[in-house]
Short mmCIF file of all heavy atoms in Angstrom, two decimals:
data_model
loop_
_atom_site.label_atom_id
_atom_site.label_comp_id
_atom_site.label_asym_id
_atom_site.label_seq_id
_atom_site.Cartn_x
_atom_site.Cartn_y
_atom_site.Cartn_z
N SER A 1 54.67 120.32 136.09
CA SER A 1 54.60 119.59 137.34
C SER A 1 54.02 118.20 137.11
O SER A 1 54.53 117.24 137.67
CB SER A 1 53.73 120.34 138.40
OG SER A 1 54.39 121.48 138.79
N LEU A 2 52.96 118.07 136.24
CA LEU A 2 52.46 116.72 135.98
C LEU A 2 53.45 115.87 135.25
O LEU A 2 53.51 114.66 135.51
CB LEU A 2 51.14 116.91 135.10
CG LEU A 2 49.93 117.47 135.86
CD1 LEU A 2 48.81 117.75 134.90
CD2 LEU A 2 49.46 116.46 137.01
N LEU A 3 54.25 116.43 134.36
CA LEU A 3 55.28 115.70 133.69
C LEU A 3 56.34 115.12 134.60
O LEU A 3 56.77 113.99 134.57
CB LEU A 3 55.92 116.43 132.63
CG LEU A 3 55.01 116.74 131.40
CD1 LEU A 3 55.76 117.74 130.44
CD2 LEU A 3 54.70 115.50 130.64
N ILE A 4 56.67 115.97 135.65
CA ILE A 4 57.64 115.60 136.66
C ILE A 4 57.06 114.44 137.56
O ILE A 4 57.69 113.44 137.78
CB ILE A 4 57.97 116.74 137.61
CG1 ILE A 4 58.79 117.84 136.80
CG2 ILE A 4 58.84 116.36 138.78
CD1 ILE A 4 59.09 119.08 137.50
N LEU A 5 55.77 114.59 137.88
CA LEU A 5 55.07 113.49 138.65
C LEU A 5 55.12 112.12 137.86
O LEU A 5 55.31 111.08 138.43
CB LEU A 5 53.67 113.87 139.02
CG LEU A 5 53.54 114.98 140.08
CD1 LEU A 5 52.14 115.44 140.18
CD2 LEU A 5 54.05 114.43 141.47
N ARG A 6 54.79 112.29 136.57
CA ARG A 6 54.79 111.01 135.72
C ARG A 6 56.14 110.43 135.59
O ARG A 6 56.27 109.22 135.70
CB ARG A 6 54.24 111.35 134.32
CG ARG A 6 54.20 110.18 133.45
CD ARG A 6 53.55 110.49 132.06
NE ARG A 6 52.16 110.71 132.21
CZ ARG A 6 51.27 109.78 132.23
NH1 ARG A 6 51.58 108.49 132.19
NH2 ARG A 6 49.97 110.05 132.36
N ALA A 7 57.19 111.25 135.47
CA ALA A 7 58.50 110.78 135.43
C ALA A 7 59.00 110.07 136.73
O ALA A 7 59.83 109.25 136.64
CB ALA A 7 59.52 111.94 135.06
N GLN A 8 58.35 110.50 137.78
CA GLN A 8 58.71 109.93 139.08
C GLN A 8 57.89 108.59 139.34
O GLN A 8 58.02 108.00 140.43
CB GLN A 8 58.36 110.90 140.26
CG GLN A 8 59.32 112.03 140.29
CD GLN A 8 59.01 113.06 141.34
OE1 GLN A 8 57.89 113.21 141.78
NE2 GLN A 8 60.04 113.80 141.82
N GLY A 9 57.04 108.24 138.35
CA GLY A 9 56.27 107.02 138.45
C GLY A 9 54.93 107.11 139.11
O GLY A 9 54.27 106.08 139.27
N HIS A 10 54.33 108.29 139.19
CA HIS A 10 53.01 108.44 139.70
C HIS A 10 52.04 108.09 138.65
O HIS A 10 52.27 108.42 137.43
CB HIS A 10 52.75 109.86 140.14
CG HIS A 10 53.53 110.33 141.42
ND1 HIS A 10 53.01 110.14 142.66
CD2 HIS A 10 54.78 110.76 141.55
CE1 HIS A 10 53.93 110.56 143.53
NE2 HIS A 10 55.01 110.95 142.90
N ASP A 11 50.99 107.43 139.02
CA ASP A 11 49.97 106.94 138.11
C ASP A 11 48.90 108.17 137.96
O ASP A 11 48.10 108.37 138.86
CB ASP A 11 49.22 105.73 138.66
CG ASP A 11 48.20 105.19 137.64
OD1 ASP A 11 48.30 105.60 136.46
OD2 ASP A 11 47.31 104.44 137.99
N LEU A 12 49.00 108.83 136.78
CA LEU A 12 48.15 110.00 136.61
C LEU A 12 46.93 109.58 135.81
O LEU A 12 46.95 108.63 135.00
CB LEU A 12 48.88 111.06 135.87
CG LEU A 12 50.22 111.57 136.55
CD1 LEU A 12 50.86 112.64 135.76
CD2 LEU A 12 49.96 112.03 137.95
N HIS A 13 45.80 110.25 136.12
CA HIS A 13 44.57 109.99 135.36
C HIS A 13 43.73 111.28 135.19
O HIS A 13 44.18 112.30 135.65
CB HIS A 13 43.72 108.97 136.17
CG HIS A 13 43.57 109.27 137.62
ND1 HIS A 13 42.67 110.20 138.05
CD2 HIS A 13 44.20 108.83 138.67
CE1 HIS A 13 42.70 110.31 139.36
NE2 HIS A 13 43.70 109.50 139.83
N GLY A 14 42.64 111.18 134.53
CA GLY A 14 41.82 112.39 134.17
C GLY A 14 41.30 113.16 135.39
O GLY A 14 41.11 114.31 135.34
N LYS A 15 41.21 112.43 136.57
CA LYS A 15 40.67 113.07 137.76
C LYS A 15 41.82 113.42 138.71
O LYS A 15 41.56 113.76 139.87
CB LYS A 15 39.68 112.20 138.45
CG LYS A 15 38.39 111.99 137.68
CD LYS A 15 37.43 111.11 138.52
CE LYS A 15 36.09 110.86 137.70
NZ LYS A 15 35.11 110.09 138.48
N GLN A 16 43.07 113.41 138.18
CA GLN A 16 44.20 113.72 139.06
C GLN A 16 44.09 115.12 139.63
O GLN A 16 43.97 116.10 138.91
CB GLN A 16 45.54 113.59 138.23
CG GLN A 16 46.81 113.82 139.00
CD GLN A 16 47.14 112.74 140.00
OE1 GLN A 16 46.88 111.55 139.68
NE2 GLN A 16 47.55 113.11 141.22
N ALA A 17 44.14 115.21 140.94
CA ALA A 17 44.08 116.52 141.57
C ALA A 17 45.45 116.98 141.87
O ALA A 17 46.25 116.25 142.55
CB ALA A 17 43.24 116.37 142.88
N ILE A 18 45.76 118.22 141.48
CA ILE A 18 47.01 118.88 141.94
C ILE A 18 46.70 120.22 142.48
O ILE A 18 45.67 120.77 142.13
CB ILE A 18 48.03 118.94 140.71
CG1 ILE A 18 47.41 119.91 139.64
CG2 ILE A 18 48.36 117.68 140.13
CD1 ILE A 18 48.47 120.33 138.65
N SER A 19 47.59 120.74 143.28
CA SER A 19 47.38 122.14 143.82
C SER A 19 47.64 123.05 142.68
O SER A 19 48.83 123.14 142.29
CB SER A 19 48.33 122.31 145.00
OG SER A 19 48.00 121.46 146.10
N PHE A 20 46.62 123.85 142.30
CA PHE A 20 46.81 124.79 141.20
C PHE A 20 47.21 126.16 141.62
O PHE A 20 47.70 126.95 140.88
CB PHE A 20 45.42 124.86 140.40
CG PHE A 20 45.53 125.35 139.00
CD1 PHE A 20 46.55 125.00 138.14
CD2 PHE A 20 44.61 126.31 138.53
CE1 PHE A 20 46.71 125.53 136.84
CE2 PHE A 20 44.75 126.79 137.28
CZ PHE A 20 45.73 126.34 136.41
N GLY A 21 47.12 126.42 142.97
CA GLY A 21 47.42 127.72 143.54
C GLY A 21 48.92 128.10 143.18
O GLY A 21 49.14 129.27 142.78
N PRO A 22 49.95 127.27 143.37
CA PRO A 22 51.30 127.69 143.12
C PRO A 22 51.48 128.10 141.64
O PRO A 22 52.24 129.06 141.30
CB PRO A 22 52.06 126.47 143.42
CG PRO A 22 51.25 125.68 144.51
CD PRO A 22 49.94 125.91 144.04
N HIS A 23 50.77 127.49 140.73
CA HIS A 23 50.93 127.77 139.31
C HIS A 23 50.15 129.10 138.99
O HIS A 23 50.62 129.87 138.14
CB HIS A 23 50.37 126.59 138.50
CG HIS A 23 50.95 125.30 138.87
ND1 HIS A 23 52.34 124.99 138.62
CD2 HIS A 23 50.45 124.22 139.55
CE1 HIS A 23 52.55 123.81 139.10
NE2 HIS A 23 51.49 123.28 139.71
N LEU A 24 49.00 129.31 139.63
CA LEU A 24 48.33 130.63 139.50
C LEU A 24 49.20 131.69 140.06
O LEU A 24 49.25 132.85 139.46
CB LEU A 24 47.00 130.56 140.18
CG LEU A 24 45.89 129.70 139.64
CD1 LEU A 24 44.69 129.61 140.59
CD2 LEU A 24 45.44 130.26 138.29
N ALA A 25 49.86 131.51 141.08
CA ALA A 25 50.74 132.50 141.70
C ALA A 25 51.94 132.82 140.74
O ALA A 25 52.22 134.05 140.66
CB ALA A 25 51.40 131.92 143.04
N VAL A 26 52.53 131.84 140.07
CA VAL A 26 53.58 132.16 139.09
C VAL A 26 52.99 133.02 137.91
O VAL A 26 53.59 133.98 137.54
CB VAL A 26 54.14 130.82 138.45
CG1 VAL A 26 54.99 131.13 137.28
CG2 VAL A 26 54.91 130.13 139.58
N GLY A 27 51.80 132.62 137.49
CA GLY A 27 51.19 133.46 136.40
C GLY A 27 50.87 134.86 136.88
O GLY A 27 51.19 135.86 136.10
N LEU A 28 50.34 135.05 138.12
CA LEU A 28 50.14 136.42 138.56
C LEU A 28 51.40 137.16 138.76
O LEU A 28 51.51 138.38 138.40
CB LEU A 28 49.38 136.30 139.96
CG LEU A 28 49.09 137.65 140.63
CD1 LEU A 28 48.31 138.59 139.81
CD2 LEU A 28 48.45 137.44 142.01
N TRP A 29 52.47 136.59 139.29
CA TRP A 29 53.71 137.29 139.45
C TRP A 29 54.25 137.80 138.15
O TRP A 29 54.65 138.95 138.05
CB TRP A 29 54.60 136.34 140.18
CG TRP A 29 56.05 136.90 140.43
CD1 TRP A 29 57.22 136.36 140.06
CD2 TRP A 29 56.36 138.18 141.05
NE1 TRP A 29 58.29 137.09 140.45
CE2 TRP A 29 57.83 138.22 141.02
CE3 TRP A 29 55.68 139.19 141.56
CZ2 TRP A 29 58.50 139.33 141.60
CZ3 TRP A 29 56.35 140.32 142.12
CH2 TRP A 29 57.73 140.36 142.06
N TRP A 30 54.31 136.93 137.14
CA TRP A 30 55.00 137.32 135.91
C TRP A 30 54.17 138.24 135.12
O TRP A 30 54.69 139.20 134.50
CB TRP A 30 55.30 136.05 135.06
CG TRP A 30 56.65 135.53 135.31
CD1 TRP A 30 56.97 134.47 136.07
CD2 TRP A 30 57.81 136.06 134.86
NE1 TRP A 30 58.33 134.30 136.15
CE2 TRP A 30 58.90 135.26 135.39
CE3 TRP A 30 58.18 137.05 133.98
CZ2 TRP A 30 60.24 135.45 135.07
CZ3 TRP A 30 59.56 137.31 133.77
CH2 TRP A 30 60.54 136.50 134.30
N ILE A 31 52.80 138.11 135.16
CA ILE A 31 51.97 139.15 134.45
C ILE A 31 52.15 140.51 135.15
O ILE A 31 52.12 141.60 134.48
CB ILE A 31 50.54 138.71 134.36
CG1 ILE A 31 50.38 137.47 133.47
CG2 ILE A 31 49.61 139.80 133.86
CD1 ILE A 31 50.86 137.73 132.02
N TRP A 32 52.20 140.53 136.45
CA TRP A 32 52.43 141.78 137.15
C TRP A 32 53.70 142.37 136.76
O TRP A 32 53.84 143.62 136.58
CB TRP A 32 52.24 141.56 138.66
CG TRP A 32 52.29 142.86 139.44
CD1 TRP A 32 51.27 143.74 139.56
CD2 TRP A 32 53.42 143.52 140.07
NE1 TRP A 32 51.66 144.90 140.29
CE2 TRP A 32 53.02 144.66 140.61
CE3 TRP A 32 54.78 143.08 140.24
CZ2 TRP A 32 53.87 145.55 141.34
CZ3 TRP A 32 55.61 143.92 140.93
CH2 TRP A 32 55.21 145.15 141.49
N VAL A 33 54.74 141.59 136.76
CA VAL A 33 56.13 142.08 136.44
C VAL A 33 56.17 142.60 135.03
O VAL A 33 56.69 143.75 134.77
CB VAL A 33 57.12 140.96 136.69
CG1 VAL A 33 58.54 141.38 136.12
CG2 VAL A 33 57.28 140.73 138.14
N LEU A 34 55.60 141.88 134.03
CA LEU A 34 55.76 142.15 132.68
C LEU A 34 54.68 143.14 132.15
O LEU A 34 54.88 143.79 131.13
CB LEU A 34 55.79 140.93 131.79
CG LEU A 34 56.91 139.95 132.01
CD1 LEU A 34 56.75 138.71 131.11
CD2 LEU A 34 58.23 140.58 131.73
#
């Protein structure tokens, strides 16, 4: 997601805040499935 944001021209930095919940959700879903 951060790479996509950078490719879109967003100025990313060390304190860049992104919503981590969607990514945690993907991790939970795949670990539960597998």
Side-chain angles (χ1 to χ4, degrees):
S1 288
L2 287 172
L3 289 174
I4 292 172
L5 287 171
R6 180 176 288 277
Q8 291 177 333
H10 291 268
D11 184 21
L12 304 181
H13 50 80
K15 295 184 180 180
Q16 180 72 38
I18 65 166
S19 296
F20 200 43
H23 308 291
L24 291 171
V26 168
L28 176 59
W29 176 233
W30 269 100
I31 293 300
W32 186 79
V33 167
L34 298 176

